[in-house]
Short mmCIF file of all heavy atoms in Angstrom, two decimals:
data_model
loop_
_atom_site.label_atom_id
_atom_site.label_comp_id
_atom_site.label_asym_id
_atom_site.label_seq_id
_atom_site.Cartn_x
_atom_site.Cartn_y
_atom_site.Cartn_z
N GLY A 1175 -9.09 -4.65 12.61
CA GLY A 1175 -9.00 -3.17 12.87
C GLY A 1175 -7.97 -2.46 12.15
O GLY A 1175 -7.35 -3.02 11.19
N ALA A 1176 -7.76 -1.26 12.41
CA ALA A 1176 -6.70 -0.47 11.67
C ALA A 1176 -5.38 -0.84 12.18
O ALA A 1176 -5.17 -1.49 13.17
CB ALA A 1176 -7.01 1.06 12.15
N GLY A 1177 -4.43 -0.52 11.44
CA GLY A 1177 -3.01 -0.85 11.63
C GLY A 1177 -2.30 -1.05 10.31
O GLY A 1177 -2.81 -0.57 9.37
N ALA A 1178 -1.19 -1.71 10.28
CA ALA A 1178 -0.44 -2.00 9.22
C ALA A 1178 -0.97 -3.11 8.46
O ALA A 1178 -1.37 -4.05 8.95
CB ALA A 1178 1.10 -2.15 9.58
N VAL A 1179 -0.86 -2.95 7.06
CA VAL A 1179 -1.26 -4.00 6.10
C VAL A 1179 -0.08 -4.20 5.18
O VAL A 1179 0.43 -3.24 4.64
CB VAL A 1179 -2.50 -3.58 5.30
CG1 VAL A 1179 -2.77 -4.53 4.23
CG2 VAL A 1179 -3.65 -3.27 6.20
N SER A 1180 0.36 -5.43 5.10
CA SER A 1180 1.48 -5.69 4.19
C SER A 1180 1.09 -6.76 3.11
O SER A 1180 0.26 -7.56 3.35
CB SER A 1180 2.72 -6.17 4.92
OG SER A 1180 2.42 -7.33 5.48
N GLY A 1181 1.54 -6.53 1.93
CA GLY A 1181 1.24 -7.40 0.79
C GLY A 1181 1.63 -6.81 -0.53
O GLY A 1181 2.52 -5.95 -0.54
N THR A 1182 1.03 -7.32 -1.60
CA THR A 1182 1.31 -6.93 -2.90
C THR A 1182 0.13 -6.07 -3.52
O THR A 1182 -1.05 -6.63 -3.42
CB THR A 1182 1.50 -8.08 -3.82
OG1 THR A 1182 2.62 -8.79 -3.32
CG2 THR A 1182 1.95 -7.74 -5.23
N VAL A 1183 0.47 -5.05 -4.05
CA VAL A 1183 -0.56 -4.21 -4.71
C VAL A 1183 -1.14 -4.91 -5.90
O VAL A 1183 -0.30 -5.31 -6.89
CB VAL A 1183 -0.12 -2.78 -5.12
CG1 VAL A 1183 -1.19 -2.02 -5.85
CG2 VAL A 1183 0.46 -2.02 -3.87
N THR A 1184 -2.36 -5.21 -6.04
CA THR A 1184 -2.96 -5.93 -7.20
C THR A 1184 -3.68 -4.92 -8.18
O THR A 1184 -3.91 -5.23 -9.29
CB THR A 1184 -3.91 -7.00 -6.73
OG1 THR A 1184 -4.90 -6.50 -5.95
CG2 THR A 1184 -3.11 -8.12 -6.05
N ALA A 1185 -4.07 -3.70 -7.62
CA ALA A 1185 -4.79 -2.78 -8.42
C ALA A 1185 -4.76 -1.42 -7.74
O ALA A 1185 -4.68 -1.32 -6.50
CB ALA A 1185 -6.31 -3.14 -8.54
N VAL A 1186 -4.66 -0.36 -8.57
CA VAL A 1186 -4.74 1.01 -8.11
C VAL A 1186 -5.76 1.65 -9.07
O VAL A 1186 -5.58 1.53 -10.27
CB VAL A 1186 -3.38 1.72 -8.22
CG1 VAL A 1186 -3.55 3.25 -7.83
CG2 VAL A 1186 -2.39 0.94 -7.37
N SER A 1187 -6.85 2.19 -8.43
CA SER A 1187 -7.83 2.82 -9.32
C SER A 1187 -8.32 4.13 -8.59
O SER A 1187 -8.83 4.10 -7.52
CB SER A 1187 -9.13 1.83 -9.44
OG SER A 1187 -10.16 2.41 -10.15
N GLY A 1188 -7.97 5.18 -9.31
CA GLY A 1188 -8.25 6.57 -8.74
C GLY A 1188 -7.60 6.74 -7.42
O GLY A 1188 -6.37 6.60 -7.30
N SER A 1189 -8.34 6.81 -6.38
CA SER A 1189 -7.77 7.02 -4.99
C SER A 1189 -7.93 5.93 -4.12
O SER A 1189 -8.00 5.97 -2.90
CB SER A 1189 -8.34 8.27 -4.38
OG SER A 1189 -9.71 8.08 -4.24
N THR A 1190 -7.89 4.68 -4.69
CA THR A 1190 -8.05 3.43 -3.81
C THR A 1190 -6.95 2.47 -4.44
O THR A 1190 -6.67 2.46 -5.65
CB THR A 1190 -9.38 2.77 -3.84
OG1 THR A 1190 -9.70 2.39 -5.15
CG2 THR A 1190 -10.45 3.64 -3.38
N MET A 1191 -6.58 1.59 -3.58
CA MET A 1191 -5.68 0.53 -3.91
C MET A 1191 -6.16 -0.77 -3.25
O MET A 1191 -6.74 -0.76 -2.25
CB MET A 1191 -4.22 0.82 -3.49
CG MET A 1191 -4.09 0.87 -2.09
SD MET A 1191 -2.30 1.33 -1.74
CE MET A 1191 -2.47 2.18 -0.12
N THR A 1192 -5.79 -1.87 -3.90
CA THR A 1192 -6.20 -3.19 -3.39
C THR A 1192 -4.89 -3.93 -3.14
O THR A 1192 -3.92 -3.92 -4.04
CB THR A 1192 -7.01 -3.94 -4.41
OG1 THR A 1192 -8.21 -3.23 -4.69
CG2 THR A 1192 -7.33 -5.29 -3.86
N ILE A 1193 -4.73 -4.40 -1.95
CA ILE A 1193 -3.53 -5.08 -1.46
C ILE A 1193 -3.88 -6.63 -1.23
O ILE A 1193 -4.77 -6.86 -0.61
CB ILE A 1193 -3.07 -4.52 -0.15
CG1 ILE A 1193 -2.93 -3.01 -0.16
CG2 ILE A 1193 -1.65 -5.23 0.20
CD1 ILE A 1193 -1.77 -2.51 -1.14
N GLN A 1194 -3.19 -7.52 -1.81
CA GLN A 1194 -3.28 -8.94 -1.71
C GLN A 1194 -2.47 -9.29 -0.42
O GLN A 1194 -1.17 -9.18 -0.48
CB GLN A 1194 -2.81 -9.75 -2.91
CG GLN A 1194 -3.02 -11.16 -2.74
CD GLN A 1194 -2.52 -11.95 -3.95
OE1 GLN A 1194 -1.61 -11.57 -4.60
NE2 GLN A 1194 -3.14 -13.13 -4.18
N THR A 1195 -3.12 -9.69 0.62
CA THR A 1195 -2.40 -10.19 1.76
C THR A 1195 -2.56 -11.65 2.03
O THR A 1195 -3.36 -12.27 1.20
CB THR A 1195 -2.95 -9.47 3.13
OG1 THR A 1195 -4.39 -10.02 3.33
CG2 THR A 1195 -3.07 -7.98 2.94
N ARG A 1196 -1.89 -12.24 2.86
CA ARG A 1196 -2.09 -13.70 3.27
C ARG A 1196 -3.45 -14.04 3.68
O ARG A 1196 -3.99 -15.11 3.31
CB ARG A 1196 -1.07 -14.06 4.32
CG ARG A 1196 0.22 -14.25 3.77
CD ARG A 1196 1.05 -14.84 4.91
NE ARG A 1196 2.05 -13.79 5.35
CZ ARG A 1196 2.75 -13.89 6.36
NH1 ARG A 1196 2.80 -14.93 7.12
NH2 ARG A 1196 3.51 -12.91 6.80
N ALA A 1197 -4.18 -13.00 4.18
CA ALA A 1197 -5.70 -13.28 4.65
C ALA A 1197 -6.61 -12.83 3.60
O ALA A 1197 -7.78 -13.08 3.75
CB ALA A 1197 -5.91 -12.39 5.89
N GLY A 1198 -6.20 -12.30 2.41
CA GLY A 1198 -7.09 -12.04 1.40
C GLY A 1198 -6.91 -10.60 0.94
O GLY A 1198 -6.03 -9.86 1.43
N ASP A 1199 -7.64 -10.13 0.00
CA ASP A 1199 -7.60 -8.79 -0.65
C ASP A 1199 -8.25 -7.72 0.48
O ASP A 1199 -9.18 -7.94 1.00
CB ASP A 1199 -8.37 -8.70 -1.92
CG ASP A 1199 -7.62 -9.32 -3.08
OD1 ASP A 1199 -6.46 -9.80 -2.79
OD2 ASP A 1199 -8.20 -9.49 -4.11
N VAL A 1200 -7.48 -6.60 0.44
CA VAL A 1200 -7.88 -5.48 1.39
C VAL A 1200 -7.87 -4.22 0.47
O VAL A 1200 -6.89 -3.92 -0.25
CB VAL A 1200 -6.92 -5.30 2.55
CG1 VAL A 1200 -7.36 -4.02 3.25
CG2 VAL A 1200 -6.82 -6.51 3.36
N THR A 1201 -8.94 -3.52 0.39
CA THR A 1201 -9.12 -2.21 -0.30
C THR A 1201 -8.87 -1.08 0.62
O THR A 1201 -9.50 -1.01 1.72
CB THR A 1201 -10.40 -2.15 -0.95
OG1 THR A 1201 -10.63 -3.27 -1.96
CG2 THR A 1201 -10.62 -0.86 -1.79
N ILE A 1202 -7.99 -0.21 0.28
CA ILE A 1202 -7.56 0.91 1.11
C ILE A 1202 -7.64 2.20 0.25
O ILE A 1202 -7.17 2.31 -0.88
CB ILE A 1202 -6.10 0.78 1.54
CG1 ILE A 1202 -6.03 -0.53 2.32
CG2 ILE A 1202 -5.73 1.94 2.46
CD1 ILE A 1202 -4.61 -0.97 2.82
N ALA A 1203 -8.35 3.19 0.80
CA ALA A 1203 -8.40 4.57 0.19
C ALA A 1203 -6.89 5.13 0.21
O ALA A 1203 -6.23 4.89 1.28
CB ALA A 1203 -9.23 5.53 1.04
N LEU A 1204 -6.52 5.82 -0.83
CA LEU A 1204 -5.15 6.34 -0.92
C LEU A 1204 -5.25 7.83 -1.22
O LEU A 1204 -5.30 8.28 -2.40
CB LEU A 1204 -4.44 5.66 -2.05
CG LEU A 1204 -2.96 6.09 -2.29
CD1 LEU A 1204 -2.08 5.94 -1.06
CD2 LEU A 1204 -2.35 5.42 -3.40
N PRO A 1205 -5.45 8.70 -0.16
CA PRO A 1205 -5.52 10.02 -0.36
C PRO A 1205 -4.28 10.66 -0.87
O PRO A 1205 -3.12 10.18 -0.63
CB PRO A 1205 -5.93 10.67 1.09
CG PRO A 1205 -5.46 9.59 1.95
CD PRO A 1205 -5.50 8.33 1.22
N ALA A 1206 -4.37 11.77 -1.66
CA ALA A 1206 -3.15 12.39 -2.15
C ALA A 1206 -2.16 12.75 -1.18
O ALA A 1206 -1.04 12.84 -1.39
CB ALA A 1206 -3.58 13.58 -2.99
N GLY A 1207 -2.65 13.13 0.10
CA GLY A 1207 -1.76 13.61 1.06
C GLY A 1207 -1.15 12.48 1.94
O GLY A 1207 -0.38 12.83 2.93
N ALA A 1208 -1.40 11.20 1.68
CA ALA A 1208 -0.78 10.17 2.44
C ALA A 1208 0.65 10.08 2.23
O ALA A 1208 1.23 10.29 1.07
CB ALA A 1208 -1.42 8.86 1.98
N ALA A 1209 1.48 9.85 3.31
CA ALA A 1209 3.00 9.88 3.21
C ALA A 1209 3.29 8.55 2.39
O ALA A 1209 2.73 7.51 2.80
CB ALA A 1209 3.61 9.84 4.45
N VAL A 1210 4.03 8.69 1.31
CA VAL A 1210 4.54 7.44 0.53
C VAL A 1210 6.08 7.57 0.67
O VAL A 1210 6.58 8.51 0.35
CB VAL A 1210 4.00 7.53 -0.86
CG1 VAL A 1210 4.51 6.28 -1.69
CG2 VAL A 1210 2.52 7.58 -0.97
N GLU A 1211 6.60 6.43 1.12
CA GLU A 1211 8.04 6.36 1.16
C GLU A 1211 8.64 5.17 0.49
O GLU A 1211 8.07 4.09 0.24
CB GLU A 1211 8.38 6.16 2.66
CG GLU A 1211 7.80 7.30 3.59
CD GLU A 1211 8.15 7.06 5.08
OE1 GLU A 1211 9.00 6.35 5.39
OE2 GLU A 1211 7.38 7.62 5.93
N LYS A 1212 9.79 5.52 -0.05
CA LYS A 1212 10.58 4.39 -0.79
C LYS A 1212 11.94 4.56 -0.24
O LYS A 1212 12.15 5.06 0.84
CB LYS A 1212 10.51 4.65 -2.30
CG LYS A 1212 9.23 4.93 -2.98
CD LYS A 1212 9.18 4.86 -4.42
CE LYS A 1212 10.13 6.00 -5.04
NZ LYS A 1212 10.25 6.00 -6.43
N THR A 1213 12.92 4.03 -1.00
CA THR A 1213 14.27 4.41 -0.63
C THR A 1213 14.49 5.88 -0.52
O THR A 1213 15.25 6.29 0.25
CB THR A 1213 15.33 3.78 -1.40
OG1 THR A 1213 14.70 2.42 -1.80
CG2 THR A 1213 16.62 3.39 -0.78
N THR A 1214 13.80 6.53 -1.47
CA THR A 1214 13.81 8.01 -1.44
C THR A 1214 12.38 8.40 -1.25
O THR A 1214 11.43 7.60 -1.37
CB THR A 1214 14.30 8.55 -2.80
OG1 THR A 1214 13.62 8.01 -3.83
CG2 THR A 1214 15.72 8.16 -2.99
N ALA A 1215 12.08 9.72 -1.12
CA ALA A 1215 10.74 10.13 -0.99
C ALA A 1215 9.78 9.81 -2.16
O ALA A 1215 10.34 9.76 -3.25
CB ALA A 1215 10.57 11.66 -0.64
N GLY A 1216 8.58 9.55 -1.96
CA GLY A 1216 7.70 9.17 -3.04
C GLY A 1216 6.37 9.98 -2.97
O GLY A 1216 6.11 10.79 -2.03
N THR A 1217 5.44 9.58 -3.99
CA THR A 1217 4.03 10.23 -3.88
C THR A 1217 3.21 8.98 -4.24
O THR A 1217 3.54 7.90 -4.58
CB THR A 1217 4.01 11.22 -5.06
OG1 THR A 1217 4.11 10.62 -6.32
CG2 THR A 1217 5.03 12.36 -4.89
N ALA A 1218 1.82 9.30 -4.16
CA ALA A 1218 0.78 8.40 -4.48
C ALA A 1218 1.04 7.71 -5.82
O ALA A 1218 0.67 6.52 -6.08
CB ALA A 1218 -0.51 8.99 -4.36
N ALA A 1219 1.65 8.42 -6.80
CA ALA A 1219 1.88 7.97 -8.14
C ALA A 1219 2.90 6.80 -8.12
O ALA A 1219 2.98 6.09 -9.08
CB ALA A 1219 2.42 9.12 -9.08
N ASP A 1220 3.66 6.58 -7.07
CA ASP A 1220 4.67 5.50 -6.90
C ASP A 1220 4.02 4.22 -6.49
O ASP A 1220 4.61 3.16 -6.49
CB ASP A 1220 5.79 5.94 -5.95
CG ASP A 1220 6.57 7.06 -6.57
OD1 ASP A 1220 7.04 6.82 -7.64
OD2 ASP A 1220 6.77 8.05 -5.72
N VAL A 1221 2.73 4.18 -6.08
CA VAL A 1221 1.97 3.01 -5.69
C VAL A 1221 1.36 2.42 -6.93
O VAL A 1221 0.39 2.86 -7.49
CB VAL A 1221 0.84 3.33 -4.66
CG1 VAL A 1221 0.14 2.15 -4.27
CG2 VAL A 1221 1.47 4.03 -3.49
N LEU A 1222 2.10 1.36 -7.38
CA LEU A 1222 1.76 0.85 -8.69
C LEU A 1222 1.37 -0.77 -8.43
O LEU A 1222 1.87 -1.32 -7.47
CB LEU A 1222 2.97 0.72 -9.61
CG LEU A 1222 3.46 2.20 -10.02
CD1 LEU A 1222 4.84 2.01 -10.73
CD2 LEU A 1222 2.50 3.07 -10.72
N ALA A 1223 0.59 -1.17 -9.41
CA ALA A 1223 0.20 -2.72 -9.26
C ALA A 1223 1.55 -3.53 -9.31
O ALA A 1223 2.51 -3.11 -9.93
CB ALA A 1223 -0.73 -3.09 -10.44
N LYS A 1224 1.56 -4.57 -8.49
CA LYS A 1224 2.61 -5.46 -8.40
C LYS A 1224 3.73 -5.01 -7.48
O LYS A 1224 4.67 -5.75 -7.14
CB LYS A 1224 3.18 -5.99 -9.66
CG LYS A 1224 2.13 -6.68 -10.53
CD LYS A 1224 2.75 -7.41 -11.74
CE LYS A 1224 1.70 -7.93 -12.60
NZ LYS A 1224 2.17 -8.54 -13.83
N ALA A 1225 3.62 -3.83 -6.75
CA ALA A 1225 4.51 -3.33 -5.83
C ALA A 1225 4.25 -3.94 -4.56
O ALA A 1225 3.13 -4.29 -4.21
CB ALA A 1225 4.41 -1.77 -5.71
N SER A 1226 5.31 -4.32 -3.82
CA SER A 1226 5.13 -4.81 -2.56
C SER A 1226 5.28 -3.67 -1.47
O SER A 1226 5.98 -2.75 -1.72
CB SER A 1226 6.40 -5.84 -2.11
OG SER A 1226 6.37 -6.95 -2.98
N VAL A 1227 4.23 -3.64 -0.65
CA VAL A 1227 4.00 -2.48 0.23
C VAL A 1227 3.74 -2.78 1.62
O VAL A 1227 3.33 -4.02 1.86
CB VAL A 1227 2.91 -1.51 -0.35
CG1 VAL A 1227 3.23 -0.93 -1.70
CG2 VAL A 1227 1.59 -2.30 -0.35
N VAL A 1228 3.94 -1.90 2.55
CA VAL A 1228 3.51 -1.94 3.92
C VAL A 1228 2.66 -0.67 4.11
O VAL A 1228 3.27 0.36 3.82
CB VAL A 1228 4.68 -2.14 4.98
CG1 VAL A 1228 3.97 -2.03 6.35
CG2 VAL A 1228 5.36 -3.38 4.76
N VAL A 1229 1.41 -0.73 4.52
CA VAL A 1229 0.46 0.30 4.59
C VAL A 1229 0.03 0.64 5.98
O VAL A 1229 -0.60 -0.33 6.58
CB VAL A 1229 -0.62 0.24 3.53
CG1 VAL A 1229 -1.51 1.47 3.60
CG2 VAL A 1229 -0.23 -0.17 2.14
N ASP A 1230 0.32 1.76 6.57
CA ASP A 1230 -0.30 2.08 7.84
C ASP A 1230 -1.70 2.74 7.48
O ASP A 1230 -1.77 3.58 6.69
CB ASP A 1230 0.51 3.09 8.59
CG ASP A 1230 1.71 2.52 9.23
OD1 ASP A 1230 1.78 1.27 9.50
OD2 ASP A 1230 2.68 3.26 9.48
N THR A 1231 -2.75 2.24 8.21
CA THR A 1231 -4.15 2.83 7.97
C THR A 1231 -4.86 3.14 9.18
O THR A 1231 -4.44 2.84 10.36
CB THR A 1231 -4.85 1.57 7.33
OG1 THR A 1231 -5.12 0.53 8.34
CG2 THR A 1231 -4.25 1.03 6.00
N THR A 1232 -5.89 3.88 8.85
CA THR A 1232 -6.89 4.16 9.90
C THR A 1232 -8.14 3.41 9.35
O THR A 1232 -8.33 3.04 8.27
CB THR A 1232 -7.25 5.70 10.07
OG1 THR A 1232 -7.57 6.18 8.83
CG2 THR A 1232 -6.02 6.35 10.59
N GLN A 1233 -9.24 3.24 10.24
CA GLN A 1233 -10.37 2.63 9.85
C GLN A 1233 -11.50 3.26 10.49
O GLN A 1233 -11.58 3.63 11.64
CB GLN A 1233 -10.30 1.04 10.30
CG GLN A 1233 -11.51 0.24 9.77
CD GLN A 1233 -11.25 -1.16 10.11
OE1 GLN A 1233 -10.46 -1.63 10.99
NE2 GLN A 1233 -11.99 -2.12 9.42
N ASP A 1234 -12.63 3.62 9.63
CA ASP A 1234 -13.73 4.32 10.09
C ASP A 1234 -14.80 3.26 10.77
O ASP A 1234 -14.59 1.96 10.69
CB ASP A 1234 -14.45 5.15 9.10
CG ASP A 1234 -15.10 4.46 7.87
OD1 ASP A 1234 -15.23 3.26 7.96
OD2 ASP A 1234 -15.12 5.03 6.79
N THR A 1235 -15.82 3.69 11.18
CA THR A 1235 -16.82 2.76 11.83
C THR A 1235 -17.52 1.87 10.90
O THR A 1235 -18.03 0.79 11.24
CB THR A 1235 -17.98 3.57 12.55
OG1 THR A 1235 -18.57 4.49 11.65
CG2 THR A 1235 -17.36 4.39 13.77
N ALA A 1236 -17.48 2.12 9.67
CA ALA A 1236 -18.03 1.28 8.52
C ALA A 1236 -17.05 0.28 8.20
O ALA A 1236 -17.37 -0.63 7.30
CB ALA A 1236 -18.51 2.05 7.36
N GLY A 1237 -15.75 0.31 8.65
CA GLY A 1237 -14.81 -0.68 8.26
C GLY A 1237 -13.89 -0.30 7.08
O GLY A 1237 -12.93 -1.02 6.65
N ASN A 1238 -14.08 0.93 6.57
CA ASN A 1238 -13.29 1.51 5.45
C ASN A 1238 -11.80 1.90 5.94
O ASN A 1238 -11.72 2.59 6.93
CB ASN A 1238 -14.00 2.67 4.78
CG ASN A 1238 -15.34 2.16 4.17
OD1 ASN A 1238 -15.47 1.22 3.52
ND2 ASN A 1238 -16.45 2.94 4.59
N ARG A 1239 -10.94 1.42 5.32
CA ARG A 1239 -9.50 1.79 5.58
C ARG A 1239 -8.98 2.95 4.78
O ARG A 1239 -9.27 2.98 3.50
CB ARG A 1239 -8.47 0.50 5.37
CG ARG A 1239 -8.88 -0.56 6.33
CD ARG A 1239 -7.93 -1.69 6.06
NE ARG A 1239 -7.99 -2.78 6.93
CZ ARG A 1239 -7.25 -2.95 7.99
NH1 ARG A 1239 -6.22 -2.27 8.18
NH2 ARG A 1239 -7.50 -4.11 8.72
N THR A 1240 -8.20 3.87 5.42
CA THR A 1240 -7.45 4.91 4.55
C THR A 1240 -6.08 4.90 4.96
O THR A 1240 -5.70 4.77 6.16
CB THR A 1240 -8.12 6.32 5.09
OG1 THR A 1240 -9.43 6.28 4.65
CG2 THR A 1240 -7.49 7.48 4.44
N ALA A 1241 -5.30 4.92 3.93
CA ALA A 1241 -3.82 4.96 4.11
C ALA A 1241 -3.29 6.16 4.69
O ALA A 1241 -3.70 7.39 4.36
CB ALA A 1241 -3.09 4.77 2.84
N THR A 1242 -2.50 6.01 5.75
CA THR A 1242 -1.90 7.30 6.40
C THR A 1242 -0.34 7.34 5.97
O THR A 1242 0.16 8.39 5.82
CB THR A 1242 -2.02 7.28 7.88
OG1 THR A 1242 -1.39 6.08 8.34
CG2 THR A 1242 -3.40 7.53 8.32
N ARG A 1243 0.16 6.08 5.70
CA ARG A 1243 1.62 6.01 5.24
C ARG A 1243 1.64 4.81 4.43
O ARG A 1243 1.22 3.76 4.82
CB ARG A 1243 2.47 6.00 6.45
CG ARG A 1243 4.12 6.09 5.99
CD ARG A 1243 4.91 6.13 7.21
NE ARG A 1243 5.01 4.81 7.55
CZ ARG A 1243 5.99 4.44 8.54
NH1 ARG A 1243 6.62 5.25 9.10
NH2 ARG A 1243 5.98 3.14 8.97
N VAL A 1244 2.42 4.87 3.27
CA VAL A 1244 2.71 3.71 2.42
C VAL A 1244 4.20 3.68 2.32
O VAL A 1244 4.87 4.56 1.92
CB VAL A 1244 2.06 3.89 1.04
CG1 VAL A 1244 2.33 2.79 0.18
CG2 VAL A 1244 0.60 4.09 1.20
N PHE A 1245 4.86 2.38 2.52
CA PHE A 1245 6.25 2.09 2.32
C PHE A 1245 6.25 1.25 1.20
O PHE A 1245 5.75 0.11 1.31
CB PHE A 1245 6.83 1.60 3.56
CG PHE A 1245 8.32 1.54 3.48
CD1 PHE A 1245 9.20 2.63 3.53
CD2 PHE A 1245 8.90 0.28 3.25
CE1 PHE A 1245 10.46 2.53 3.39
CE2 PHE A 1245 10.34 0.14 3.07
CZ PHE A 1245 11.05 1.34 3.13
N VAL A 1246 6.81 1.71 0.11
CA VAL A 1246 7.00 0.93 -1.14
C VAL A 1246 8.37 0.19 -0.87
O VAL A 1246 9.38 0.78 -0.86
CB VAL A 1246 7.06 1.73 -2.31
CG1 VAL A 1246 7.20 0.85 -3.63
CG2 VAL A 1246 5.64 2.52 -2.47
N LEU A 1247 8.26 -1.25 -0.91
CA LEU A 1247 9.46 -1.89 -0.73
C LEU A 1247 10.28 -1.87 -1.91
O LEU A 1247 9.69 -1.98 -3.08
CB LEU A 1247 9.14 -3.39 -0.15
CG LEU A 1247 8.36 -3.31 1.08
CD1 LEU A 1247 7.95 -4.84 1.41
CD2 LEU A 1247 9.17 -2.91 2.25
N PRO A 1248 11.64 -2.12 -1.89
CA PRO A 1248 12.40 -2.19 -3.12
C PRO A 1248 12.09 -3.28 -3.93
O PRO A 1248 11.65 -4.43 -3.47
CB PRO A 1248 13.89 -2.29 -2.58
CG PRO A 1248 13.81 -1.86 -1.21
CD PRO A 1248 12.47 -2.14 -0.62
N ALA A 1249 12.03 -3.10 -5.22
CA ALA A 1249 11.77 -4.34 -6.10
C ALA A 1249 12.73 -5.48 -6.02
O ALA A 1249 14.06 -5.04 -5.74
CB ALA A 1249 11.67 -3.87 -7.60
N ALA A 1250 12.34 -6.64 -6.10
CA ALA A 1250 13.34 -7.74 -6.08
C ALA A 1250 14.15 -7.66 -7.28
O ALA A 1250 13.79 -7.44 -8.41
CB ALA A 1250 12.63 -9.03 -6.05
N THR A 1251 15.49 -7.97 -7.15
CA THR A 1251 16.42 -7.96 -8.23
C THR A 1251 16.87 -9.45 -8.48
O THR A 1251 16.98 -10.15 -7.49
CB THR A 1251 17.60 -7.09 -8.08
OG1 THR A 1251 18.27 -7.46 -6.83
CG2 THR A 1251 17.11 -5.60 -7.91
N THR A 1252 17.30 -9.72 -9.61
CA THR A 1252 17.79 -11.08 -9.90
C THR A 1252 19.26 -10.96 -10.36
O THR A 1252 19.60 -9.86 -11.04
CB THR A 1252 16.92 -11.81 -10.93
OG1 THR A 1252 16.94 -11.00 -12.19
CG2 THR A 1252 15.53 -12.15 -10.51
N THR A 1253 20.05 -11.86 -10.09
CA THR A 1253 21.39 -11.83 -10.64
C THR A 1253 21.51 -12.85 -11.66
O THR A 1253 21.05 -14.02 -11.57
CB THR A 1253 22.41 -11.96 -9.54
OG1 THR A 1253 22.14 -13.24 -8.91
CG2 THR A 1253 22.38 -10.74 -8.56
N SER A 1254 22.35 -12.56 -12.71
CA SER A 1254 22.51 -13.61 -13.72
C SER A 1254 23.80 -14.18 -13.69
O SER A 1254 24.66 -14.01 -12.93
CB SER A 1254 22.39 -12.95 -15.12
OG SER A 1254 23.10 -11.72 -15.15
#
């Protein structure tokens, strides 16, 4: 059902994104008006392949998911 999806963005194409989760790939519609949050405010343009995200979604009767809020997690950093 609808709810939060967390994982890694594997693809962004037009207004859809694919998230790799532990249970498998999930395709989610990404409307321009969806709230996108980072450490600072963001937009749909900040949802990039390989980003780690948590996505709040709604789901229609056909099972299609639509993002209502996307939280882009900070990129992992390495120390040398």
